[in-house]
Amino acid sequence: MIPHLSGMSKTIGLALVAGSVRAWALPDLSTLSPPPAPTQPYSAPLNILVLLTLLTLLPALLLSMTPFVRLLVIFHFLRQALGTQNTPSNQTLIGLALVLTYFIMQPVGVQIQQQAIAPFRLGQVDAMQAVERGSQPVRSFMLRYAREKDLALFVELAQLPRPKSPAELPMRVVAPAYILSELKAGFQIGAVLFLPFLVIDLAVAAITTSIGMLQLPPVVISTPLKLLLFVMVDGWNLLMGSILHSFV
């Protein structure tokens, strides 16, 4: 009896082990859904390449497609007109130009967010389509301030047919024309800033020369007078208001 019972117990034990193995190793396949098939197998590497390229070109884009150039030129002329040498410092002027550039370009950034970035994050468009959509608000902004003379110059140099409207111009024509227009506007405003301070320099130089004060340079006397005039008329407020109104 004992060998017979031991054989039965072994058989029962093996049956239990086999059942437990099947229970753990063979789950119900009807409850498992297959993984979704990739729709765009090469979209991720292409998106990464486009984003890295944009990050590399970001400083150049900031200089060429925003009011940063005009603002920096104006601040440089103002510092030279005041005769304060390195005050405000270059870092201060660049920071102020960046803040004002952000303030001016904020509506354009909202349009880019709505038309390009948000659909790209939702997967509705790929990277190239997002770049094309995002360039439209920037192009409209640049066309608003680019002169027709500069646009015509680059259309002629590019040997392109005359477009029916400026909106048909490619970015390679709009961007350099916008830079030239911004440089011209910056130099015009800088020349206007120079005039009142130049009058003070001429008056001080004439007075010191007529009374024989040749040992004292005229700039030592004119610089405090120019600073006093700039502070009395609240020059920073007037300058910032004039610049921002020119972009409204």
Side-chain angles (χ1 to χ4, degrees):
M1 294 296 293
I2 294 177
H4 179 67
L5 292 177
S6 63
M8 292 181 60
S9 62
K10 290 181 180 179
T11 304
I12 295 174
L14 291 175
L16 292 176
V17 171
S20 61
V21 168
R22 286 197 300 268
W24 286 100
L26 299 175
D28 189 4
L29 298 179
S30 61
T31 60
L32 298 178
S33 58
T39 57
Q40 299 178 353
Y42 299 102
S43 61
L46 181 60
N47 293 340
I48 294 175
L49 178 62
V50 172
L51 291 177
L52 290 178
T53 304
L54 289 178
L55 289 177
T56 305
L57 298 177
L58 186 60
L61 296 177
L62 179 64
L63 290 175
S64 59
M65 298 183 180
T66 64
F68 184 80
V69 173
R70 183 195 298 194
L71 295 171
L72 206 58
V73 169
I74 293 172
F75 294 153
H76 175 75
F77 275 110
L78 175 64
R79 188 171 64 181
Q80 294 296 321
L82 289 174
T84 55
Q85 302 300 324
N86 295 324
T87 304
S89 63
N90 292 331
Q91 291 82 358
T92 303
L93 295 182
I94 292 174
L96 181 58
L98 285 174
V99 172
L100 292 178
T101 300
Y102 170 77
F103 181 83
I104 296 170
M105 296 295 293
Q106 198 269 340
V108 180
V110 172
Q111 296 180 7
I112 296 175
Q113 168 67 26
Q114 295 174 352
Q115 298 179 14
I117 298 179
F120 176 72
R121 294 180 61 184
L122 295 176
Q124 299 175 356
V125 296
D126 57 13
M128 298 303 298
Q129 293 175 342
V131 172
E132 183 178 356
R133 288 189 177 189
S135 64
Q136 296 300 326
V138 180
R139 180 186 303 175
S140 300
F141 175 83
M142 291 191 294
L143 285 174
R144 191 184 311 168
Y145 302 102
R147 299 189 306 165
E148 294 184 4
K149 184 177 180 180
D150 297 329
L151 291 172
L153 171 64
F154 285 98
V155 168
E156 179 183 357
L157 294 176
Q159 299 180 355
L160 297 175
R162 185 172 181 177
K164 297 180 180 179
S165 64
E168 299 178 0
L169 292 173
M171 188 65 74
R172 69 188 183 101
V173 171
V174 177
Y178 173 77
I179 295 174
L180 288 185
S181 302
E182 288 295 286
L183 288 174
K184 178 178 175 58
F187 274 80
Q188 287 178 338
I189 298 175
V192 173
L193 286 174
F194 251 106
L195 291 179
F197 302 113
L198 180 61
V199 172
I200 295 178
D201 287 332
L202 292 175
V204 171
I207 293 174
T208 54
T209 304
S210 61
I211 63 177
M213 296 180 58
L214 302 179
Q215 298 82 4
L216 187 64
V219 67
V220 178
I221 303 175
S222 63
T223 299
L225 294 178
K226 290 187 290 186
L227 290 175
L228 181 61
L229 175 64
F230 189 73
V231 172
M232 288 179 60
V233 300
D234 199 2
W236 284 112
N237 184 275
L238 292 176
L239 180 61
M240 294 301 106
S242 301
I243 293 175
L244 294 179
H245 278 96
S246 65
F247 287 100
V248 174

